[in-house]
């Protein structure tokens, strides 16, 4: 039974990085805000995405480092991994951060309501709570921040055991010996690197298109394919997975058509379905209130996050790609500005950075070389590449003395010297995205980057040297 209608100025649905950021910013502006969440504060990112995956990726890299530090005199024998303890460690991190979000919401006097929200009309919502249902009214605006859900394939129905998604994997208490990953995008590759380092012996990635990381600069695609192969991960591209037959609790057979048109069987203990994510817009009752969606179910918005229905806004993954936490939270700030009638509030970044936390990492912001050529023509596009093998800091962090793999590549507009894109590969190299994104956002030139004093010895010197390489004058690397 519904209790009395509670009234707020703004109601936010979903407490992921988009929703909780919006709730806090609106409260900072003095508005009376409710935040409705059906599952856990922090959303996908904090509970089943960015944070737990990066914690486990870091753990896997620690294991790898311990096993490869003989050359620097670190003799470690009998390295073993207690997966249950690792899960406790990971969950402690997640809970600590979730506690932080809860505290921030409380300090800003945001009313947090637990339950699943559904529109009654454009200003009223029914919230189905664990104990009771509520009706909530928004006098000024409703912000939809309901995120995304895995885009599964109907022929690969998840069962939590042999056919799983990333959320299942992040909670695994035991590792399979043989795992097949369907999907060579960001999540598939991060999971592959993490699990390889944590001890999954046989890993295979099946990707439907011709390359891993579709959409990334081809040099990054080639780099990551080579690194994964080097780590012993099998990769097949152009493979169209048809179905999976569950043979037992720990055996599954995948049937696929290969790039040559043959039917192929792959046996594994489990299959991870990592075929992307889709907007989570289905259960909100949007059709009834007339909110426009695109063919994939993404809510259509303008730069301020407004839908076609007055007073209804949407931010983050539910509006389509790129599905990234930092995009969701920046969209939130622009939308809050608009709700608060601050002039010029719009989400219109020059570029959105993207990091893939493989081992080693790859990261990208701005135009890839082919996209730049498409836009400006071959004659106008200049590139510079600086390999990490020429960077002192990268060597100083290399326990096994092998040459550090990776590079920084800059794509620029020759006639104006303006930066168009930065593509980065190597251990810890995703940290360079901050500077690269700021440079793009500020419209800097390649020379601006090369003339900026970079501290020595840091990985960021790689960016400065790549800028010099665009002008064929890198000091620590010779290229004709
Ligand atoms: P979400 O974080 O998905 O939050 C939506 C919230 O809405 C959820 O808590 C959900 O329970 C709630 N909700 C949904 N419907 C309702 C309803 N009707 N009523 C009430 N509540 C509702 N991004 C990065 O930038 N970096 C990374 O390293 C990264 N790693 C990732 C790793 C994995 C394995 C995954 C799956 C994702 C990763 N992402 C990463 C993507 C990132 O998690 C999302 O882009 C981000 O969480 C989107 O934020 P959001 O606020 O739009 O939605």
């Amino acid at each position: 039974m519904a209790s009395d209608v509670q009234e707020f100025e703004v109601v936010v649905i979903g407490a992921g990085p988009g929703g909780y950021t919006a709730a806090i910013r609106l409260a900072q502006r003095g508005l009376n805000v409710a935040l409705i969440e059906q599952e856990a504060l922090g959303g996908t990112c904090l509970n089943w995405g960015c944070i737990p995956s990066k914690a486990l990726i870091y753990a896997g890299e620690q294991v790898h480092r311990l096993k490869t530090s003989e050359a620097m005199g670190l003799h470690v024998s009998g390295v073993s991994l207690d997966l249950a303890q690792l899960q406790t460690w990971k969950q402690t991190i997640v809970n600590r951060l979730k506690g932080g979000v809860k505290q921030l919401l409380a300090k800003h006097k945001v009313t947090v309501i637990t339950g699943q929200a559904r529109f009654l009309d454009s200003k009223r919502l029914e919230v189905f709570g664990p104990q009771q249902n509520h009706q909530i009214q928004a006098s000024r605006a409703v912000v939809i921040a309901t995120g995304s859900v895995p885009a599964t394939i109907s022929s690969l129905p998840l069962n939590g055991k042999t056919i799983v998604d990333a959320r299942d994997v992040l909670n695994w208490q035991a590792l399979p010996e043989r795992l097949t990953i369907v999907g060579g995008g960001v999540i598939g590759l991060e999971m592959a690197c993490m699990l390889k380092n944590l001890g999954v012996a046989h890993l295979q990635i099946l990707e439907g298109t011709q390359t891993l990381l579709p959409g990334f600069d081809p040099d990054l695609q080639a780099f990551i394919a080579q690194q994964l192969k080097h780590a012993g991960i099998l990769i097949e591209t152009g493979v169209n997975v048809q179905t999976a037959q569950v043979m037992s609790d720990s055996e599954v057979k995948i049937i696929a058509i290969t790039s040559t048109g043959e039917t192929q069987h792959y046996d594994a203990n489990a299959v991870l379905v990592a075929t992307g994510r889709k907007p989570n817009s289905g259960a909100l009752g949007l059709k009834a209130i007339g909110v426009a969606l695109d063919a994939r179910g993404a809510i259509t918005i303008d730069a301020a996050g407004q839908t076609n229905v007055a007073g209804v806004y949407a931010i983050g993954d539910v509006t389509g790609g790129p599905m990234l936490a930092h995009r969701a939270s920046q969209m939130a700030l622009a939308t809050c500005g608009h709700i608060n009638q601050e002039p010029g509030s719009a989400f219109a970044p020059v570029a959105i950075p993207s990091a893939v936390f493989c081992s080693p990492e790859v990261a990208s912001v701005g135009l890839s070389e082919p996209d730049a050529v498409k836009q400006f023509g071959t004659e106008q596009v200049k590139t510079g590449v600086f390999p990490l093998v020429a960077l002192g800091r990268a060597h100083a962090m290399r326990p096994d003395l092998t040459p550090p793999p990776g590079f920084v590549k800059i794509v620029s507009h020759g006639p104006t010297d303006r930066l168009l894109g930065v593509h980065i590969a190597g251990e810890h190299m995703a940290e360079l995205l901050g500077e690269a994104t700021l440079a793009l956002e500020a419209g800097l030139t390649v020379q601006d980057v090369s003339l900026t004093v970079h501290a020595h010895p840091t990985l960021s010197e790689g960016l400065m040297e790549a800028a010099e390489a665009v002008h064929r004058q890198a000091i620590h690397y010779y290229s004709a």
Side-chain angles (χ1 to χ4, degrees), residues 65-129:
R65 249 171 240 131
L66 284 176
K67 289 180 177 168
T68 54
S69 297
E70 281 281 318
M72 60 189 228
L74 187 61
H75 305 295
V76 185
S77 57
V79 176
S80 69
L81 182 67
D82 178 342
L83 203 57
Q85 178 62 34
L86 176 62
Q87 286 295 357
T88 304
W89 171 80
K90 176 213 79 185
Q91 204 51 44
T92 307
I93 294 163
V94 169
N95 292 345
R96 188 182 291 163
L97 294 173
K98 206 160 29 177
V101 172
K102 188 176 174 189
Q103 257 185 6
L104 285 169
L105 291 165
K107 290 249 186 263
H108 286 92
K109 303 200 171 19
V110 171
T111 302
V112 176
I113 297 169
T114 303
Q116 187 184 29
R118 196 179 165 83
F119 280 93
L120 294 169
D121 60 42
S122 64
K123 293 259 186 287
R124 267 185 323 131
L125 295 151
E126 178 93 47
V127 182
F128 303 93

Side-chain angles (χ1 to χ4, degrees), residues 389-408:
V389 73
L391 192 65
R393 182 63 199 259
H395 281 275
M397 294 162 74
R398 202 73 191 145
D400 65 359
L401 285 179
T402 55
F407 57 85
V408 180

Side-chain angles (χ1 to χ4, degrees), residues 4 7 10 66 70 85 160 231 323 345 352 361 363 382 387 396 436:
D4 291 345
E7 187 154 337
V10 184
L66 284 176
E70 281 281 318
Q85 178 62 34
M323 292 185 175
S345 298
I352 299 174
E361 298 167 355
K382 286 180 84 176

Side-chain angles (χ1 to χ4, degrees), residues 39-40 43-49 51-57 82-95 98 160-161 164-176 179 191 194-195 198 272:
E39 205 170 353
T44 306
C45 178
L46 181 41
N47 295 282
W48 324 287
I51 298 298
S53 64
K54 266 78 257 181
L56 295 181
I57 288 166
D82 178 342
L83 203 57
Q85 178 62 34
L86 176 62
Q87 286 295 357
T88 304
W89 171 80
K90 176 213 79 185
Q91 204 51 44
T92 307
I93 294 163
V94 169
N95 292 345
K98 206 160 29 177
K161 209 158 190 172
V164 297
D165 68 5
R167 184 170 175 170
D168 296 315
V169 171
L170 292 172
N171 289 312
W172 264 346
Q173 296 289 336
L175 297 177
L179 177 72
M191 293 290 119
M194 173 187 99
L195 291 165
L198 290 177
L272 164 60

Side-chain angles (χ1 to χ4, degrees), residues 14 17-18 37-38 43-45 50 54 115 117 146-147 280 317 323-326:
E37 171 55 50
Q38 64 186 11
T44 306
C45 178
C50 327
K54 266 78 257 181
T146 49
N280 183 19
D317 284 8
M323 292 185 175
L324 292 162
H326 42 278

Side-chain angles (χ1 to χ4, degrees), residues 59-346:
E61 287 173 349
Q62 291 295 98
V63 173
H64 180 73
R65 249 171 240 131
L66 284 176
K67 289 180 177 168
T68 54
S69 297
E70 281 281 318
M72 60 189 228
L74 187 61
H75 305 295
V76 185
S77 57
V79 176
S80 69
L81 182 67
D82 178 342
L83 203 57
Q85 178 62 34
L86 176 62
Q87 286 295 357
T88 304
W89 171 80
K90 176 213 79 185
Q91 204 51 44
T92 307
I93 294 163
V94 169
N95 292 345
R96 188 182 291 163
L97 294 173
K98 206 160 29 177
V101 172
K102 188 176 174 189
Q103 257 185 6
L104 285 169
L105 291 165
K107 290 249 186 263
H108 286 92
K109 303 200 171 19
V110 171
T111 302
V112 176
I113 297 169
T114 303
Q116 187 184 29
R118 196 179 165 83
F119 280 93
L120 294 169
D121 60 42
S122 64
K123 293 259 186 287
R124 267 185 323 131
L125 295 151
E126 178 93 47
V127 182
F128 303 93
Q131 266 96 45
Q132 64 169 143
N133 298 349
H134 306 253
Q135 272 198 21
I136 295 181
Q137 173 104 15
S139 60
R140 195 184 286 200
V142 178
V143 180
I144 303 167
T146 49
S148 57
V149 288
T152 47
I153 310 174
S154 59
S155 55
L156 294 177
L158 302 180
N159 59 25
K161 209 158 190 172
T162 43
I163 307 180
V164 297
D165 68 5
R167 184 170 175 170
D168 296 315
V169 171
L170 292 172
N171 289 312
W172 264 346
Q173 296 289 336
L175 297 177
E177 203 181 313
R178 302 180 76 85
L179 177 72
T180 295
I181 299 176
V182 179
V186 177
I187 293 178
L189 296 200
E190 287 189 355
M191 293 290 119
C193 292
M194 173 187 99
L195 291 165
K196 188 71 193 166
N197 282 333
L198 290 177
V200 173
H202 303 284
L203 264 162
Q204 178 179 48
I205 298 172
L206 304 179
E207 163 59 35
T209 68
Q210 292 307 322
T211 63
L212 299 178
L213 293 181
F216 278 71
D217 189 272
D219 285 345
L220 290 184
Q221 293 171 338
F223 172 83
I224 203 65
Q226 188 199 25
Q227 291 298 312
L228 296 184
K229 281 179 194 159
H230 182 69
I233 296 170
L234 299 177
I235 297 165
E236 281 196 48
T237 55
V239 177
N240 191 349
V241 173
Q242 303 291 299
T243 186
Q245 291 169 359
V246 177
M247 315 302 282
S248 74
D249 257 10
S250 60
E251 272 176 286
V252 58
K253 191 183 282 300
I254 299 130
I255 298 153
I257 313 279
T258 66
S259 51
T260 54
E262 291 156 51
T263 301
Q264 179 85 39
H265 293 186
Y266 303 90
D267 295 317
N269 302 121
V271 185
L272 164 60
V273 183
T275 44
R277 295 179 65 82
K278 60 177 186 196
N280 183 19
S281 59
L284 287 162
L286 295 178
K287 276 205 184 120
I289 62 163
V291 168
L293 306 175
D294 73 10
R296 292 194 64 233
I299 299 177
T300 310
I301 52 163
D302 66 11
Q306 295 183 99
T307 69
N308 59 318
V309 174
V312 178
Y313 293 76
I315 55 175
D317 284 8
V318 76
T319 65
M323 292 185 175
L324 292 162
H326 42 278
R327 171 176 170 268
S329 50
Q330 283 292 331
M331 288 175 93
L333 299 181
T335 288
C336 293
H338 192 268
I339 292 171
N340 198 39
Q341 293 168 357
E342 294 161 19
S345 298

Side-chain angles (χ1 to χ4, degrees), residues 419-444:
L419 282 172
L420 297 175
V422 180
H423 309 284
I424 305 164
E427 265 192 66
H428 308 292
M429 291 297 282
E431 295 298 329
L432 269 61
L433 271 183
E435 182 185 348
T437 309
L438 185 62
L440 279 165
E441 196 62 48
L444 298 188

